[in-house]
Amino acid sequence: MAKNKKTKFITKDILKSSIIGSFQKLDPRYMIKNPVMFVVEIGCFITLLLTFVPTLFGGSEQYRIYNGIVTIILFVTVLFANFAESVAEGRGKAQAASLKKTKQDTKARKLLPDGTEQIINASELKKGDLVLVKAGELIPNDGEVIEGIASVDESAITGESAPVTREAGGDFSSVTGGTTVVSDWLKIKIVAEPGKSFLDKMISMVEGASRQKTPNEIALNTLLIVLTLIFLIVVVTLYPFASYLGVKIPISWAIALMVCLIPTTIGGLLSAIGIAGMDRVTRFNVIAMSGKAVEACGDVDTMILDKTGTITYGNRLAAEFYPVKGVEKEDLIDYSVMCSIMDTTPEGKSTVDLGKQMGCVLDERIADQMQFVEFTAQSKMSGVNLQDGTVVRKGAFEAMKIFVKEKGGNIPEDLQEIVTNISNLGGTPLVVCVNEKILGVIYLKDTVKPGLSERFERLREIGIKTIMCTGDNPLTAATIAKEAGVDGFIAECRPEDKITAIKKEQAEGKLVAMTGDGTNDAPALAQADVGLAMNSGTQAAKEAANMVDLDSDPTKILEVVEIGKQLLITRGSLTTFSIANDIAKYFAIIPAMFTMVLPQMQILNIMHLATPASAILSALIFNAIIIPGLIPVAMKGVKYKPMKAEKMLLRNMGIFGLGGIIVPFVGIKLIDLLVAPLLALIGM
């Protein structure tokens, strides 16, 4: 199971860099990217002018101190919003710093066309260059192993201390720059230009430098701008309306009113939520190539999963011995162990282990007296030849039938039934024979990973359909699918079948996620809305996907989807809370402002705030302190619980909608109790 990296919410270094960043982001050229907070900054500048020139815009000298207080609160509001974003970026930069330690300007052994070596800086390597990396040396850049086999320490990237094997060909030929060869040697073909390696992309994404706003984030940002414009118009039109009623509203009041009514809470936290969402994925050892990929995870409707290595362990292990009629089980066990003693595959080792558990006492030294016959794709069997001419074989049912018939033997009547029963159980039958006589069948079982059934049920609860892809026959596939608890399966699946399945789901308007590690998975990973490639996989797979799992754990797609859901829920919840806040602040300020002229509005002053001045100031102070109060929620995310969308909506409306109304009422009233006496002292 993947590990989530537990780190402190905020360290001294992050706090220091966040405070500095908060002031640096006050630059209007940066602030204009966040229109809501930009409006607050403009308001702060206007009240600052009114503090020094209170008679400006027809103001009064008596409001000089009040204008100064409003200026300070607005400044702190902007600062807190910048602080939230800086904290999110700081957590990412702290992680990027550890990645940069692995990025050194190392030396590389470049292989020239004439076969000689040239020692150059790794930064000088170009795509297509060949390099030789020996034990103890760093791999200079991303590449594909074209010759050799070696153990590679990837702990600098993945955090895992155990070295992994990398070799030419297959799905384990991809190597990452910054990792270390710990044994033997590798000849590598460089596949990335300088500055564009996987590690460079990781650092850039973690730092937030390449983070683009997602479609949902852009849509929400547009909504916030529209709401800001609406409330700006409301406040502007409120001015002549108040003058008609004989109420003179100071400029600082109008600015404070507007700041309290526009969605400053979510405006100040929106960017931080997006950065923190990517940060949570990164701390889970998954690198997202864009914020859009993380968000897409939250909208996934269908998940396509490989059986081997994802749903099952992939190692078929011996689970039982089934003799045919007329054969003693002990004889079947003895001969099964005998032809497996020299078999180093997981199947062979597990057969020997199971045989010993069942009482087989065969002396392993007899291996010296036998000739081992390895399994081949053509023969589909393996075994041993004894010195006395005896031939012992184990292999696939059809291949063994042909082998026995060629030797003049007969097929036992109950063999077909045993094989069918094992296949129906989702297992693999290995038929065992001695010369022309079939003794029985070894039942190899591909075990479903524990806990997957419950996790698939969780996905089902939130409306995500799971489809298993496998090369097994339909009977075996159906058995595994039932045991694992997936919603559907594709048996005898080829790479093109995965693409067909993805396109079919997408044609129905669904978002599809899938995992893969091989070159043959690359087209499907590119077609899927969320493609999670394994870091141990090929370069083609990693380039086609929009997320890479550094731990190479295919089941991690389940957690990644939940993180995506959490991101969307967090953004939705805090937006609900922010808008509910505005409603509460409206009821706090408007009645208090007009009570002196329209006593009838006193009935709406349900909080019984002392004066219009204290009401506005209290709401403004609450508006400022609620932003840092919600930073932990934005960083950690709203706790995610699998449930139907309708139930989730009602739950969040109850917690964040109702809470967003109640909290301001209580908070503003408490602040008013403190502020009113202080304002009375300065004659306000």
Side-chain angles (χ1 to χ4, degrees):
M1 192 61 62
K3 311 177 300 301
N4 196 349
K5 296 177 182 176
K6 299 292 183 182
T7 56
K8 289 183 179 179
F9 167 64
I10 188 166
T11 63
K12 289 182 180 179
D13 291 337
I14 293 176
L15 179 62
K16 181 181 177 181
S17 65
S18 298
I19 292 174
I20 295 171
S22 301
F23 284 92
Q24 291 173 338
K25 293 177 189 293
L26 291 172
D27 185 340
R29 292 171 297 180
Y30 183 88
M31 290 299 299
I32 201 169
K33 297 176 183 178
N34 187 343
V36 177
M37 301 314 298
F38 183 62
V39 168
V40 179
E41 188 175 47
I42 292 175
C44 178
F45 178 72
I46 294 172
T47 55
L48 180 63
L49 287 177
L50 290 170
T51 302
F52 292 102
V53 190
T55 55
L56 198 66
F57 308 122
S60 172
E61 183 71 32
Q62 74 177 100
Y63 285 105
R64 180 188 295 271
I65 297 176
Y66 191 87
N67 293 341
I69 295 172
V70 171
T71 300
I72 293 171
I73 297 172
L74 292 179
F75 180 75
V76 170
T77 302
V78 176
L79 215 57
F80 280 160
N82 290 345
F83 181 74
E85 185 174 350
S86 296
V87 168
E89 290 176 347
R91 284 160 64 88
K93 287 177 181 177
Q95 189 169 358
S98 65
L99 291 174
K100 286 180 177 178
K101 290 179 182 177
T102 67
K103 186 173 173 57
Q104 306 170 20
D105 192 15
T106 57
K107 300 294 182 180
R109 300 172 185 267
K110 181 181 176 181
L111 298 177
L112 302 178
D114 60 4
T116 60
E117 295 180 11
Q118 179 185 3
I119 306 299
I120 63 172
N121 290 327
S123 58
E124 298 175 24
L125 288 172
K126 296 179 181 179
K127 188 175 181 178
D129 286 346
L130 298 181
V131 297
L132 178 67
V133 186
K134 297 182 179 180
E137 297 177 349
L138 281 175
I139 294 174
N141 207 339
D142 295 356
E144 292 275 358
V145 179
I146 60 172
E147 189 178 333
I149 179 171
S151 294
V152 178
D153 179 3
E154 297 185 341
S155 58
I157 305 294
T158 67
E160 290 292 338
S161 57
V164 294
T165 301
R166 292 289 178 261
E167 59 185 319
D171 292 342
F172 298 95
S173 59
S174 175
V175 290
T176 305
T179 56
T180 306
V181 174
V182 294
S183 71
D184 303 293
W185 56 270
L186 293 174
K187 187 183 289 186
I188 300 167
K189 181 180 180 181
I190 301 299
V191 297
E193 296 288 352
K196 295 183 180 179
S197 69
F198 180 59
L199 188 57
D200 290 311
K201 291 178 183 177
M202 284 171 60
I203 293 170
S204 181
M205 291 304 304
V206 170
E207 286 184 320
S210 299
R211 195 188 84 86
Q212 296 180 339
K213 290 185 177 179
T214 62
N216 281 348
E217 195 173 348
I218 292 171
L220 181 54
N221 207 42
T222 304
L223 174 63
L224 298 183
I225 293 171
V226 171
L227 289 175
T228 301
L229 289 173
I230 289 173
F231 283 118
L232 182 61
I233 294 169
V234 167
V235 172
V236 170
T237 55
L238 192 63
Y239 221 76
F241 176 68
S243 297
Y244 175 76
L245 294 174
V247 178
K248 188 175 182 181
I249 302 177
I251 296 292
S252 58
W253 285 23
I255 291 172
L257 174 63
M258 184 184 66
V259 169
C260 286
L261 295 184
I262 64 177
T264 49
T265 306
I266 187 63
L269 295 172
L270 185 59
S271 182
I273 294 169
I275 296 172
M278 291 190 66
D279 179 60
R280 281 194 294 276
V281 172
T282 304
R283 290 176 189 280
F284 215 73
N285 259 9
V286 173
I287 297 298
M289 297 307 171
S290 70
K292 185 179 178 181
V294 180
E295 192 169 277
C297 290
D299 288 326
V300 164
D301 301 293
T302 304
M303 195 180 296
I304 295 180
L305 304 159
D306 274 329
K307 184 205 77 171
T308 305
T310 304
I311 293 175
T312 64
Y313 284 109
N315 290 336
R316 299 176 303 167
L317 306 178
E320 185 56 88
F321 299 98
Y322 291 101
V324 296
K325 289 180 181 177
V327 175
E328 295 294 329
K329 187 173 183 177
E330 288 75 13
D331 292 337
L332 172 61
I333 294 173
D334 287 345
Y335 280 106
S336 297
V337 171
M338 184 184 297
C339 65
S340 302
I341 283 180
M342 300 173 69
D343 187 351
T344 58
T345 64
E347 294 93 330
K349 291 179 180 178
S350 66
T351 299
V352 174
D353 292 340
L354 182 63
K356 289 180 177 178
Q357 292 173 22
M358 293 187 168
C360 178
V361 290
L362 207 62
D363 190 344
E364 294 187 12
R365 287 179 295 181
I366 65 168
D368 298 333
Q369 306 170 24
M370 299 185 297
Q371 177 191 3
F372 178 60
V373 179
E374 291 190 15
F375 176 89
T376 65
Q378 291 74 30
S379 67
K380 293 185 178 180
M381 66 178 73
S382 65
V384 293
N385 297 330
L386 304 183
Q387 290 181 345
D388 62 2
T390 302
V391 174
V392 185
R393 294 287 186 274
K394 62 177 181 181
F397 174 52
E398 294 297 331
M400 293 298 288
K401 281 202 302 183
I402 295 172
F403 179 79
V404 169
K405 286 180 178 179
E406 287 177 350
K407 286 188 169 291
N410 296 317
I411 308 301
E413 296 178 359
D414 57 337
L415 181 62
Q416 179 68 58
E417 182 181 354
I418 295 172
V419 169
T420 302
N421 289 340
I422 290 174
S423 298
N424 289 342
L425 290 171
T428 301
L430 274 187
V431 177
V432 179
C433 75
V434 177
N435 295 325
E436 75 283 355
K437 183 181 179 182
I438 290 178
L439 302 181
V441 181
I442 304 171
Y443 169 27
L444 298 179
K445 185 179 181 183
D446 191 358
T447 309
V448 173
K449 293 182 178 179
L452 275 188
S453 180
E454 292 78 8
R455 294 168 75 186
F456 287 139
E457 179 60 34
R458 288 172 62 190
L459 293 175
R460 197 172 296 112
E461 287 176 5
I462 55 177
I464 296 178
K465 180 170 73 172
T466 50
I467 299 175
M468 180 186 77
C469 292
T470 175
D472 292 334
N473 61 66
L475 273 177
T476 302
T479 303
I480 294 290
K482 183 178 180 181
E483 185 178 348
V486 294
D487 299 308
F489 65 89
I490 303 173
E492 299 174 344
C493 182
R494 299 165 298 172
E496 54 267 33
D497 294 331
K498 295 179 183 178
I499 298 177
T500 302
I502 292 171
K503 288 182 176 179
K504 180 183 176 183
E505 294 293 321
Q506 290 174 332
E508 297 174 5
K510 297 177 180 178
L511 264 66
V512 182
M514 80 157 286
T515 63
D517 58 3
T519 301
N520 62 346
D521 291 324
L525 287 168
Q527 180 67 40
D529 299 285
V530 177
L532 179 65
M534 303 298 102
N535 190 41
S536 62
T538 62
Q539 191 68 25
K542 288 193 281 188
E543 289 178 356
N546 48 25
M547 303 182 95
V548 177
D549 174 25
L550 302 181
D551 295 327
S552 301
D553 177 5
T555 63
K556 201 182 286 186
I557 187 70
L558 305 174
E559 281 85 359
V560 170
V561 166
E562 291 191 352
I563 291 173
K565 289 281 184 188
Q566 186 185 38
L567 170 62
L568 295 179
I569 291 169
T570 301
R571 186 183 296 150
S573 298
L574 292 184
T575 301
T576 303
F577 187 88
S578 179
I579 294 174
N581 257 281
D582 295 337
I583 295 171
K585 286 179 283 189
Y586 175 88
F587 277 100
I589 298 174
I590 299 296
M593 287 178 63
F594 290 94
T595 298
M596 291 183 295
V597 179
L598 298 174
Q600 297 89 338
M601 293 195 73
Q602 181 64 37
I603 194 171
L604 295 177
N605 188 16
I606 56 179
M607 284 186 277
H608 302 291
L609 302 178
T611 64
S614 71
I616 292 171
L617 209 57
S618 299
L620 200 60
I621 293 171
F622 176 84
N623 191 67
I625 63 176
I626 197 65
I627 294 176
L630 290 174
I631 288 178
V633 179
M635 296 295 103
K636 296 180 180 178
V638 176
K639 190 174 182 180
Y640 169 73
K641 290 183 179 179
M643 61 182 72
K644 295 290 184 182
E646 302 83 4
K647 189 176 179 182
M648 192 181 299
L649 176 63
L650 290 174
R651 176 178 176 270
N652 288 339
M653 286 295 290
I655 296 174
F656 293 93
L658 190 60
I661 293 175
I662 294 173
V663 171
F665 273 100
V666 176
I668 292 172
K669 179 61 180 177
L670 292 174
I671 295 170
D672 181 70
L673 293 174
L674 298 173
V675 168
L678 297 176
L679 289 179
L681 291 174
I682 61 173
M684 295 298 298

